Amino acid sequence: CHLLVEGVDQEELLLLADDAGICASAGAACASGALEPSHVLLALGLSADRARSAVRFSLGTTTTDADIDSALAVIPKVIEQLRR
């Protein structure tokens, strides 16, 4: 699940989310460490700036409802903090 948060630096968002125990990424797992915006998001028509504002959340078989609830509680607060 990609979340586009315009006006927020994705690296800052990822750091604050991680501090709160939420794991996310700036791009696809297969492009880990890449500095370029996601080629998938670019192919979908997003500008490079918008693609750099996206963060990816992965869900798997071990993801619980509590994990999702925690992310839904933390991420809006992190975004609000970064927009101040």
Side-chain angles (χ1 to χ4, degrees):
C1 172
H2 267 91
L3 176 65
L4 180 68
V5 187
E6 291 187 83
V8 171
D9 180 79
Q10 68 185 189
E11 292 302 320
E12 290 178 0
L13 189 150
L14 291 172
L15 287 172
L16 290 176
D18 185 59
D19 287 347
I22 306 298
C23 296
S25 175
C30 61
S32 142
L35 297 177
E36 296 300 315
S38 165
H39 67 280
V40 173
L41 296 178
L42 295 175
L44 288 170
L46 270 68
S47 69
D49 285 341
R50 289 188 82 199
R52 284 189 196 95
S53 295
V55 292
R56 177 182 54 87
F57 298 89
S58 295
L59 306 174
T61 58
T62 61
T63 305
T64 65
D65 288 346
D67 294 331
I68 294 169
D69 290 342
S70 178
L72 290 173
V74 167
I75 296 304
K77 292 176 185 174
V78 168
I79 293 168
E80 182 180 337
Q81 179 181 349
L82 291 172
R83 286 191 170 155
R84 284 189 211 155

